[in-house]
Amino acid sequence: MSLLDEEGNQDESLESKALSAEDQVKDHSAGTRVVAGQIFLESGKSDSQSENEDNFHSREEEKESSLEELNSLEMSNLLNKDLEEAEIQSPVLTAIGGTADGEPCHFPFLFMEKEYAECTADGREDGRLWCATTYDYKKDQKWGFCESEEQSNKRRQMQEAEDVYQIGMKILNESSKKAQKKVAYQYLLKAADMNHTKAMEKVSYALLFGDYLKQNIQSSKELFEKLTEEGSPKGQMALGFLYASGLGVNSSQAKALVYYTFGALGGNLIAHMILGYRYWAGIGVLQSCESALTHYRLVANHVASDISLTGGTVVQRIRLADEVENPGMASGMLEEDLIQYYQFLAEKGDVQAQVGLGQLHLHGGRGVEQNHQRAFEYFNQAANAGNSHAMAFLGKMYSEGSDVVPQSNETALQYFKKAADMGNPVGQSGLGMAYLYGRGVPVNYELALKYFQKAAEQGWVDGQLQLGSMYYNGIGVKKDYKQALKYFNLASQGGHILAFYNLAQMHATGTGVMRSCHTAVELFKNVCERGRWSERLMTAYNSYKDGDSNSAVVQYLLLAEQGYEVAQSNAAFILDQKEASIVGENETYPRALLHWNRAASQGYTVARIKLGDYHFYGFGTDVDYETAFIHYRLASEQQHSAQAMFNLGYMHEKGLGIKQDIHLAKRFYDMAAEASPDAQVPVFLALCKLGVIYSLQYIREINIREVFSHIDMDQLLGPEWDLYLMTIIALLLGTIIAYRQRQHQAIPRPAGLRPAVPQQEPPPEHQPPQ
């Protein structure tokens, strides 16, 4: 499935269950019970249910409970009426034309010995829907159309568009080849031309990013405007993005905020995430931690509920600026040659290579696409060789189930037991999950606790997470929020998304810790940034590496709006290098400055230094040495940047933005050399230059004649200093004369050698001028 499809599914999952703003707040205000992706009821009824059942039903149960609360008055009125009056009646359809024009349709009606409970096109070649106005059509011959001819034509057109859309989606989902995906988008283009909403959404994003269609910002804008008029949350969010970034339209943060708000009210997760970041950073709105918390928590709930037992995909974050500054630095991507080498080792029976490749294909990342089939094959090979880690991961795959591996608690349990008996923490954790939720074995909290403790002691994050969950909910142990906090912290250090989520819930509600909105928002933000839309970071990176800077910068700009610091710095870098032609030359530096500023506020050192450079040289802003000095100082004090220290030394040396001070300049140069070995050579040269400048300045400041006039030679060398001086001069002259005489002494030639024949003088025309 393509990334666009994944994003679409994420948005649709929320839109199909969208609640009003009040419902959303009410829905998540009691989010403290959501731990490790589960909802534990106080009655303990759900303890024996499986994790999958909880995940499946929890969202609908929360929605229904919220709706019941909001509609309690209406429900109480309905309960006071008879059951017949309480039934929701379908709208009465009136026959149009036919033999019973204006009469109500009768449902069900009998036609061709078959009962119809709704309008039908059976018996008609033109496909128009009709109904009978009496029960027995054959007997009474009373009928009429359910729709006008115009409505019929429109319905048939939309059905045709739906058919074309489904063909395109089938090709898109079943093929991984780029050529096939381009064919799929041709079908989607055709469906979009027929005003199919979902097709227009996919095509508009493809035109915006240049995914399988030629990038065309103007065409995508027109489609987004059309979608917005139809009330599409995706269209509203995207139009907000265009106004926020000034792509295809004049930049307007006010309009962007309006469209983002409408998109969020329609249930678009990305719009919620953008608003969360804006309220957190105070961009276009008054800074409000509580508002940011509301938006981020809503998105985080959906991201957390989407986390599978296998952990989901791995997101690779690569900074373009770091790659250029340090070309030898590992970006985390695996070279094709290295992957082939590991594959060769795996084929030769290297168990470690098999397990490594299995994990790589299971989670994806590092330049390798997620592939459960290959992961299963590699784990099988390693498990047959007796590797406990491979057995445990096979257990996880069977426990989770997929298109490749059928879900089987019994098979999973067998693999978990084998791995656990060999002391493998992954197997122990899996066995703990089986006993906790009764998967293939009776529920046994004591054994679950025992296996989770064993896994946690070996540092396995899943064991730590589930152990924290048991202490938090008081399952098999007494409730202990401090212990829960301890294990969630340990799991978060291992990078587990659900650990961040649980810690965020605890800090948001003050459960077991002092309530901290700021900490909760930062943790929820971390969770949100691991949603499926983060896969676009790699898509943007690949676009940039393929030379398509325009596509890359648009993708990075959207991710930057969502608050990704990596995307902000990468978008700024591309603009800084003037590689994106879709942005006017006069706008590149101001826009780059904006995103360097946002990245710097999230703690990126290079971005902070770039801000100093922009103000120092006047890129995208006026030359302002004082502001440049402030940014360099922040980078020096907060991130201990050698580059910032060197720049501060230079500004002190020249007196730019600060009073000139040679001593402070030397101090900052020395600090830069201590902070980084790479700075030692430039610092040495700067110090040499500083020494020369200091000497010249000293000489300039003193009066040499005045110095000599104050020197008393009689007092310094004694009363007979002139005799001493004459003696020294005479000795020096004698030494020189003796040396010169020895140089002119004739050197005797060996016997038998002829004197050298003098060279002939060159002709007059070759003689040098006199």
Side-chain angles (χ1 to χ4, degrees), residues 93-145:
L93 284 173
T94 304
I96 303 170
T99 59
D101 185 32
E103 294 183 20
C105 292
H106 187 286
F107 297 111
F109 64 87
L110 188 67
F111 173 67
M112 300 290 286
E113 299 183 358
K114 179 183 175 183
E115 281 193 347
Y116 290 86
E118 58 185 4
C119 297
T120 180
D122 290 354
R124 295 194 63 85
E125 294 181 358
D126 59 3
R128 284 187 71 179
L129 296 174
W130 65 277
C131 69
T133 57
T134 62
Y135 175 73
D136 193 339
Y137 167 78
K138 185 176 181 181
K139 176 185 175 184
D140 301 319
Q141 296 287 311
K142 302 274 281 183
W143 69 278
F145 293 111

Side-chain angles (χ1 to χ4, degrees), residues 183-303:
V183 171
Y185 269 95
Q186 292 307 311
Y187 281 102
L188 295 177
L189 264 175
K190 185 179 178 181
D193 291 338
M194 298 164 74
N195 295 322
H196 190 282
T197 303
K198 288 185 178 180
M200 285 195 291
E201 288 174 347
K202 290 202 169 291
V203 168
S204 57
Y205 277 94
L207 289 169
L208 177 66
F209 298 134
D211 288 338
Y212 310 113
L213 293 174
K214 187 178 179 182
Q215 190 176 31
N216 190 325
I217 304 292
Q218 195 60 36
S219 296
S220 68
K221 182 194 79 126
E222 292 168 3
L223 278 173
F224 288 139
E225 287 174 339
K226 194 172 181 180
L227 287 166
T228 300
E229 289 172 6
E230 295 180 4
S232 165
K234 287 185 183 178
Q236 291 162 341
M237 184 280 294
L239 202 55
F241 164 65
L242 292 182
Y243 277 107
S245 55
L247 293 172
V249 293
N250 292 326
S251 180
S252 171
Q253 297 303 320
K255 286 185 178 180
L257 184 62
V258 169
Y259 286 120
Y260 283 149
T261 304
F262 278 118
L265 289 172
N268 185 274
L269 291 175
I270 294 176
H272 274 295
M273 195 170 167
I274 291 170
L275 287 175
Y277 175 67
R278 288 194 160 226
Y279 278 110
W280 182 63
I283 299 171
V285 292
L286 287 174
Q287 198 167 11
S288 170
C289 183
E290 295 299 333
S291 296
L293 180 63
T294 301
H295 289 289
Y296 270 131
R297 177 154 56 182
L298 190 147
V299 181
N301 285 341
H302 286 270
V303 173

Side-chain angles (χ1 to χ4, degrees), residues 301-445:
N301 285 341
H302 286 270
V303 173
S305 67
D306 196 41
I307 301 301
S308 65
L309 186 64
T310 52
T313 56
V314 176
V315 180
Q316 200 71 34
R317 305 187 183 206
I318 303 169
R319 290 189 176 91
L320 301 178
D322 288 350
E323 274 202 336
V324 172
E325 291 291 328
N326 306 297
M329 186 185 69
S331 64
M333 303 291 288
L334 288 177
E335 296 290 340
E336 185 65 30
D337 292 344
L338 190 58
I339 295 171
Q340 289 179 0
Y341 173 68
Y342 285 131
Q343 288 173 343
F344 172 76
L345 290 178
E347 289 170 6
K348 291 293 182 183
D350 188 305
V351 176
Q352 293 303 321
Q354 290 167 350
V355 173
L357 286 170
Q359 288 181 276
L360 204 58
H361 285 96
L362 179 64
H363 301 297
R366 302 193 72 181
V368 178
E369 288 188 4
Q370 197 172 22
N371 188 325
H372 282 194
Q373 179 63 49
R374 300 200 71 179
F376 181 73
E377 290 170 0
Y378 282 123
F379 285 141
N380 246 332
Q381 292 173 17
N384 291 336
N387 184 275
S388 62
H389 216 59
M391 293 175 189
F393 273 97
L394 279 175
K396 291 182 81 170
M397 292 187 77
Y398 274 109
S399 180
E400 183 70 21
S402 66
D403 295 337
V404 176
V405 183
Q407 202 282 332
S408 173
N409 287 334
E410 290 74 20
T411 310
L413 189 66
Q414 290 174 9
Y415 279 115
F416 283 143
K417 277 185 175 178
K418 286 181 182 178
D421 290 342
M422 297 170 73
N424 185 277
V426 185
Q428 291 166 345
S429 178
L431 208 52
M433 293 287 283
Y435 282 113
L436 179 62
Y437 298 111
R439 296 175 179 172
V441 289
V443 172
N444 189 324
Y445 296 140

